[in-house]
Structures are given as structure tokens and as C-alpha cells.
Amino acid sequence: MKRAYTTLFLTALMGCSLTTFAQTNGGKNPISQPLVSHIYTADPSAHVFNGKIYIYPSHDIDAKDVKEDDEGGHFAMRDYHILSMDKMGGKVKDNGIALSLENVPWAGRQLWAPDAAYKNGTYYLYFPAKDKQDVFRIGVATSKSPTGPFKAEPEPIKGSYSIDPTVFQDTDGKAYLYFGGIWGGQLQRWDNNQYNPKGALKQKNEVAYLPRMARLSDDMKSFAEPVREVQILDENGKPFLEKDNDKRFFEAAWLHQYNGKYYFSYSTGDSHNLCYAIGDNPYGPFTYKGLVLKPVLGWTNHHSIVQVDKKWYLFYHDVQLSGKTHLRNVKVTELTHNPDGTIKTIDAYK
Ligand code: FUB
């Protein structure tokens, strides 16, 4: 198994022309180019608010004072920048710093993958960070503008833990927060919502860890119910085992609705796939269906799936600009739902 979050030295890719890129990438070229190149961005959560596209990414930095470790300590992000586009394919605007680590009273380090939601005139930014005890929690910050600046709540969401929050707002107005990521994301430290600092990764024949979820209260700042596991089942209705690491959950949850069905998509982490599973309601269970995106350059694979006008898009990242797995760049490509509801698997290189 590969080490989590280790840096890939794909330096041959840095600043290369497309021809050189293909030479170093099995003869294949990227199907999309980075949306911005003046900063490194990752984990893009895209939304359409008032007809405009907003992307809530992580802001990757090369924190030279932070040593690389097996838990992703060198993913040492300190703020968020929100990107926006008037239309798909249009100019991408960086709206500057929307929230900084020093303005989150409870946070110690590592602002990882965020998401956002809108309700009743307020925008909500959900984000993970390690607290002062170095335990990942999920915070929420609010703004009257989709691009911030956001003001963080003084404490993380009560009962929250781990990383990669994503919000799904159903057509009935109810909102749900999904979250979790194993290994550096610390999900293995939480059993039955109780913290165990010694929580270990699963053995290969054990049932795999599952993502977590809870409905949000009307104020969008707290859980309305106890956190529960999100059941992801294989094609035979059985839970995945840890050894099914090309299909089981690792991190990067996202939920979208299509033709009345609920699609739960996620990264498998150490096998680098983006998979999806379909359910009949926001709680699941979700049945595994296949791959959304094959592995991309870099260790992580993290995405969002969003409808813009009549088309669907996959926002994702790779390391085309830097060749280093902790310095990523966000991209977008069209996504197709087949007539039977399955998703056409995307290869980011052709
Ligand atoms: O960006 C830091 C972490 O890398 C995210 O939280 C994970 O999903 C992975 O993309």
C-alpha cells in the first residue's frame, strides 16, 4: 500500500508543454486545463447561486516550515479563496481570502476541503480543521455574500469530527451534512461517535469504515440528530471489506440528486478512484455502481458534481501544474448520466 499523502516527484511535468506532458504521462494529454494557475487549489465544491458558478476549493500552499508526514501534515493550508465564473467556460475570478485560520477561534492548523450552502439570505461555509488538541473537527462560518468574507462560529459544530464536510439540500428544504476521511482524516479514531486516539486502520478482512452524516438543524449550524454511518453496499447488498480498497469509502463525500435518485460519490483514497453509489433517499443505503473518475495525477482524488443549466459537470483536481501531490489545481469537465442512470466513467487524460 502506498503511504498516505506522500509527495510525488513529477517535476518533469512542471511548466511543460502539452507534448511533453503526454511524453511523461503514457502518451496521454489532460482533457481539461487548470481553472486558475496563480494559486494552487484542490477539492473543488461547486455550486450555482443566483445563476453564477462558485467554486469552494482548498487553497494548497507549499509550507516550507512544515515537514512532510504520513498523516498529511504538509497539507498545511491556512485560508480559503473562492473562485467564481459567470458561466461555464467563462473567466474565472479569484475573490481573495474568504476565511483565514487566524480568524477561526477554535482551530489550530490545516484548513482542508470545504463546502458551502445557501439558506434564507445567508451563505454557510463548512470546513474541517484540526483543533488546538490536533483533532479534526468541522466548523461553520457565515456571510451575506457567496464569496465572503466569512465569520466563523466560535466553536466547531457540536458532535462533528474528521474531514471533508459536504452539504446536500433536498427539494423539501432539509439539509444534510456528510463527512469523514480515514488515515490522515482521523475517521478511524471515531467509534460510535466516541473518540479513541488509538483507533486503527482496519485489517483487510474487516468491514471497511463508512462515511458519516447527520441532518442539519434549521439554523444550519448544528446537527438535528445523532451522527450516523452512511451505508454503502456492494452489488450483492453486502458491506465492503477493507481489502475492497478499489471500491470502499476513504474520503471526499459528495451527494447529488438525479432523476429522483440520490448519488453518493467518494474517493477510495489509496487506490485513487472516484466511485459512486445510488440510493432512494439522503440516508441511503447506497448501492455501489461504478467509477466516476479514474485516478488522476497526484495521490488524492476529490470532486463535486453539479448541474449548470441543462448540463452536468465534474469539478476535480490533479497536479498538472506542480507535479507535487500537495500542490493541486482544480479543473472541470462535462459529466454524462447514461439513460439507465449510471454515470459514464471519465478518464482525465486521453
Ligand atoms: O485537501 C486535503 C485533503 O486531501 C482533503 O481533505 C482530502 O479529501 C484530500 O483531497
Side-chain angles (χ1 to χ4, degrees), residues 32-42 55 57-60 81-85 90-95 316 318 320-322 327-332:
S32 305
Q33 292 301 312
L35 287 175
V36 292
S37 56
H38 66 294
I39 55 171
Y40 293 112
T41 52
I55 306 162
S58 300
H59 174 200
D60 286 354
H81 285 229
I82 292 150
L83 309 177
S84 57
M85 291 188 273
K91 193 165 179 289
V92 183
K93 182 176 176 195
D94 174 356
N95 294 280
Y316 63 105
D318 69 9
Q320 182 184 335
L321 288 177
S322 75
L327 298 177
R328 301 160 288 181
N329 44 257
V330 298
K331 297 182 162 187
V332 62

Side-chain angles (χ1 to χ4, degrees), residues 5 42-43 58-60 72 75 77 110-114 128 136 163-165 180-181 185 250-253 267 299-303 317 325-326 328:
Y5 305 114
D43 312 321
S58 300
H59 174 200
D60 286 354
F75 286 73
M77 297 83 110
Q110 293 180 291
L111 291 180
W112 282 14
F136 266 119
I163 60 166
D164 291 359
F250 186 98
E251 63 186 2
S267 165
W299 198 92
T300 64
N301 206 347
H302 192 129
H303 70 303
H317 67 224
T325 206
H326 67 298
R328 301 160 288 181

